[in-house]
Amino acid sequence: MFSTKTIELKSAAELDCMRRGAEILSQALAAAMAAVRPGATTLELDRVAAAELGRRGAKPAFLGYRGFPASLCVSINDEIIHGIPSAERRVREGDLVSLDLGCLYDGFYTDAAATVGAGSLAPDAQRILDVTKESLAAGIDAMRPDGRLGDYSGTVQRRVEAAGFSVVREFVGHGIGRALHEDPPVPNFGRAATGPRLVPGMVVALEPMVNAGGWEARTLSDGWTCVTKDGSLSAHFEHTVAMTAQGPEILTWHGRRS
Ligand code: MG
């Protein structure tokens, strides 16, 4: 596993920096979500997100990360994460569109994602969106100072599986701060009362990826886009969350819980 010694705890001043970055990120992600409509290209969504970050003095965290060519990940229907925006790809009526955006501001990273429907969603698509959003909220609600990270993981898995869906295993959440990915890894599956202790100053990016069918994933030949192996729908929500002495604080909230 990993040592809790490698978890970087943030000072009050550092948390303030991350709050400001998270606010910018939330606004940029909200703008991209609002731009999701049938006929929009996925590149247009990327441009909206990048412009909103830029005009608030922040940088996109994913652009150039391990060679990723865009600011926003746009993953549609059976695509789980890491979809590459394209001028050739148009959103269609009824698409389930997952948007993932990272922000670098004042030396600190924040990370958030949300799934939205283009036009009106079929009931099965709406249901996986709702269950994924609710599982993240329930997982965060299960976090307590001096509790364990597994309290989050176990709660998410239970919620998702009770709805008849599955949690992606291959990708997990992560600590976040001066680096985009820090310790600890944060699985969206596992057992309560296990894992690293939740202490004030920990900041984690919590991001359940939920498949309507099996949890297995595969990566397309573009080297990035990750899809469900069985072709079933997938949804993704993410918040950057700080543990404080009073409990978990959703930094990427800002009037938008999900
Ligand atoms: Mg993330």
Side-chain angles (χ1 to χ4, degrees):
M1 283 297 281
F2 52 88
S3 161
T4 49
K5 284 190 190 118
T6 61
I7 298 174
E8 298 275 350
L9 300 182
K10 278 72 183 178
S11 68
E14 289 172 335
L15 267 183
D16 272 342
C17 281
M18 294 190 76
R19 276 189 195 98
R20 287 194 290 276
E23 180 167 9
I24 293 169
L25 170 59
S26 302
Q27 289 164 343
L29 182 59
M33 290 165 75
V36 171
R37 54 178 172 74
T41 71
T42 55
L43 189 65
E44 285 166 31
L45 305 178
D46 175 76
R47 291 293 145 82
V48 168
E52 290 293 319
L53 289 179
R55 81 185 178 83
R56 293 179 166 91
K59 287 192 173 136
F62 303 159
L63 182 62
Y65 181 81
R66 295 189 182 172
F68 190 76
S71 301
L72 183 71
C73 297
V74 185
S75 308
I76 300 177
N77 295 334
D78 66 328
E79 297 167 3
I80 303 169
I81 50 169
H82 299 166
I84 302 171
S86 161
E88 268 79 63
R89 181 93 184 266
R90 281 187 195 280
V91 174
R92 292 178 303 185
E93 173 75 26
D95 275 351
L96 191 62
V97 183
S98 296
L99 304 177
D100 191 353
L101 186 63
C103 169
L104 173 61
Y105 180 76
D106 206 9
F108 285 89
Y109 288 93
T110 47
D111 198 353
T115 298
V116 291
S120 58
L121 285 178
D124 60 334
Q126 185 65 51
R127 187 159 169 271
I128 191 170
L129 186 158
D130 292 341
V131 166
T132 308
K133 188 195 288 192
E134 286 160 14
S135 76
L136 175 57
I140 294 169
D141 283 345
M143 296 167 73
R144 301 273 179 274
D146 223 33
R148 300 291 191 116
L149 197 56
D151 301 342
Y152 162 83
S153 307
T155 300
V156 171
Q157 183 178 10
R158 204 167 55 245
R159 284 287 183 124
V160 168
E161 292 180 355
F165 298 142
S166 65
V167 173
V168 171
R169 302 293 198 274
E170 197 173 334
F171 298 94
V172 299
H174 47 94
I176 187 166
R178 288 195 186 276
L180 179 58
H181 298 110
E182 297 185 352
D183 275 337
V186 186
N188 302 292
F189 52 91
R191 291 197 346 262
T194 62
R197 206 163 278 289
L198 296 170
V199 294
M202 268 179 83
V203 183
V204 283
L206 305 173
E207 51 176 325
M209 289 150 262
V210 174
N211 297 348
W215 56 262
E216 294 85 354
R218 67 185 178 88
T219 303
L220 298 185
S221 58
D222 63 16
W224 281 105
T225 313
C226 175
V227 301
T228 59
K229 209 166 180 179
D230 59 11
S232 66
L233 291 174
S234 190
H236 180 208
F237 281 84
E238 177 177 24
H239 275 310
T240 298
V241 175
M243 181 50 73
T244 76
Q246 288 75 44
E249 177 185 343
I250 302 175
L251 302 185
T252 42
W253 179 306
H254 297 290
R256 189 189 64 87
R257 170 116 203 199
S258 52

